[in-house]
Amino acid sequence: AQSVTQLDSHVSVSEGTPVLLRCNYSSSYSPSLFWYVQHPNKGLQLLLKYTSAATLVKGINGFEAEFKKSETSFHLTKPSAHMSDAAEYFCVVTGPHTGGFKTIFGAGTRLFVKA
Amino acid sequence: DAGVIQSPRHEVTEMGQEVTLRCKPISGHNSLFWYRQTMMRGLELLIYFNNNVPIDDSGMPEDRFSAKMPNASFSTLKIQPSEPRDSAVYFCASRPNRDNTIYFGEGSWLTVV
């Protein structure tokens, strides 16, 4: 079975300060993990993905995430927030692509960026 | 490359009317998904096709909803008759067989009054 928990429903940061969006997962198999971003009135855009290669994954717009198996975490970070980062972020888990696993979406974390 | 294309982007309809949402997946992608997003329930998977065949429709709310995929480049989601509680954003997404990354369309914003 697989599950994903985003630990914060809302995160507020000031522009120029670091961003941390937390995600814990549970998986009986070697997981694939993703972060998606959804800006207002837009679809979900892939930020980055982990598929058992390097544990530190770099994505678009300066975001990165680290896969920590011992902590079952895949937290999303960015060194310096920009106003354009204000959006909703979804952590996603699935299994290996050949296994027909379901894709499980987290409930989302809304990021607010203050000027 | 063109992404997942959905139409219409916005639709306002009266209760009882039929609504048809359309989707063109990314060329070469073998899997297609329909999701619904609301404030109350978040993102829900409605139905999943693989190679044009419905694999999992357990998320389809009721008989008023139906989905088809007549060929690899086109899918529809139909609601008949529509009700105000169907108001939501409906996303179509596709995935290639070579990996498990899902690519989303921009969504169809449905309002039923």
Side-chain angles (χ1 to χ4, degrees), chain A:
Chain A
Q2 298 177 112
S3 67
V4 61
T5 302
Q6 293 185 240
L7 298 171
D8 307 292
S9 59
H10 298 86
V11 169
S12 183
V13 301
S14 296
E15 192 174 23
T17 64
V19 175
L20 170 63
L21 305 183
R22 299 182 295 165
C23 173
N24 285 356
Y25 70 92
S26 172
S27 179
S28 303
Y29 303 90
S30 180
S32 294
L33 293 154
F34 306 79
W35 277 98
Y36 286 83
V37 60
Q38 185 180 25
H39 288 94
N41 302 321
K42 293 289 189 180
L44 279 74
Q45 180 185 14
L46 179 69
L47 264 182
L48 51 79
K49 65 179 179 181
Y50 165 79
T51 54
S52 76
T55 56
L56 182 62
V57 182
K58 294 189 183 299
I60 61 171
N61 301 335
F63 284 94
E64 62 183 36
E66 186 171 9
F67 172 70
K68 292 187 176 181
K69 186 176 181 179
S70 60
E71 299 176 10
T72 60
S73 70
F74 190 58
H75 300 335
L76 182 70
T77 60
K78 182 173 181 178
S80 175
H82 191 272
M83 295 296 288
S84 61
D85 295 327
E88 185 137 24
Y89 292 79
F90 294 92
C91 183
V92 179
V93 65
T94 189
H97 78 277
T98 55
F101 295 95
K102 283 194 173 183
T103 299
I104 309 296
F105 283 77
T109 298
R110 184 161 295 278
L111 176 65
F112 297 93
V113 182
K114 299 175 289 188

Side-chain angles (χ1 to χ4, degrees), chain A residues 32 34 36 38 40-46 49 51 88 90 94-97 100-103 105-107 110, chain B residues 9 33 35 37 39 42-43 45 48 56 58 89 91 95-107 109:
Chain A
S32 294
F34 306 79
Y36 286 83
Q38 185 180 25
N41 302 321
K42 293 289 189 180
L44 279 74
Q45 180 185 14
L46 179 69
K49 65 179 179 181
T51 54
E88 185 137 24
F90 294 92
T94 189
H97 78 277
F101 295 95
K102 283 194 173 183
T103 299
F105 283 77
R110 184 161 295 278
Chain B
R9 289 297 315 280
F33 307 82
Y35 287 89
Q37 187 179 41
M39 289 291 292
L43 198 63
L45 176 65
Y48 153 49
D56 180 1
S58 58
V89 185
F91 287 106
R95 182 181 70 192
N97 261 8
R98 66 179 181 277
D99 74 42
N100 49 14
T101 306
I102 295 178
Y103 298 86
F104 284 81
E106 291 287 283
W109 265 250

Side-chain angles (χ1 to χ4, degrees), chain B residues 7-105:
Chain B
S7 65
R9 289 297 315 280
H10 299 273
E11 173 129 359
V12 180
T13 190
E14 291 186 344
M15 182 173 62
Q17 296 297 306
E18 178 180 290
V19 174
T20 300
L21 308 178
R22 298 173 177 80
C23 176
K24 176 178 169 55
I26 294 172
S27 178
H29 284 197
N30 300 85
S31 297
L32 183 139
F33 307 82
W34 282 101
Y35 287 89
R36 179 173 67 178
Q37 187 179 41
T38 61
M39 289 291 292
M40 292 297 294
R41 300 173 69 95
L43 198 63
E44 304 172 276
L45 176 65
L46 299 178
I47 188 167
Y48 153 49
F49 292 87
N50 187 252
N51 292 325
N52 313 337
V53 175
I55 301 300
D56 180 1
D57 65 354
S58 58
M60 294 287 266
E62 49 199 89
D63 292 346
R64 297 186 298 106
F65 285 69
S66 62
K68 294 182 179 179
M69 191 164 186
N71 57 63
S73 59
F74 184 66
S75 177
T76 59
L77 178 67
K78 188 172 293 187
I79 308 172
Q80 166 63 18
S82 58
E83 296 182 4
R85 60 190 168 124
D86 301 330
S87 298
V89 185
Y90 291 82
F91 287 106
C92 179
S94 67
R95 182 181 70 192
N97 261 8
R98 66 179 181 277
D99 74 42
N100 49 14
T101 306
I102 295 178
Y103 298 86
F104 284 81

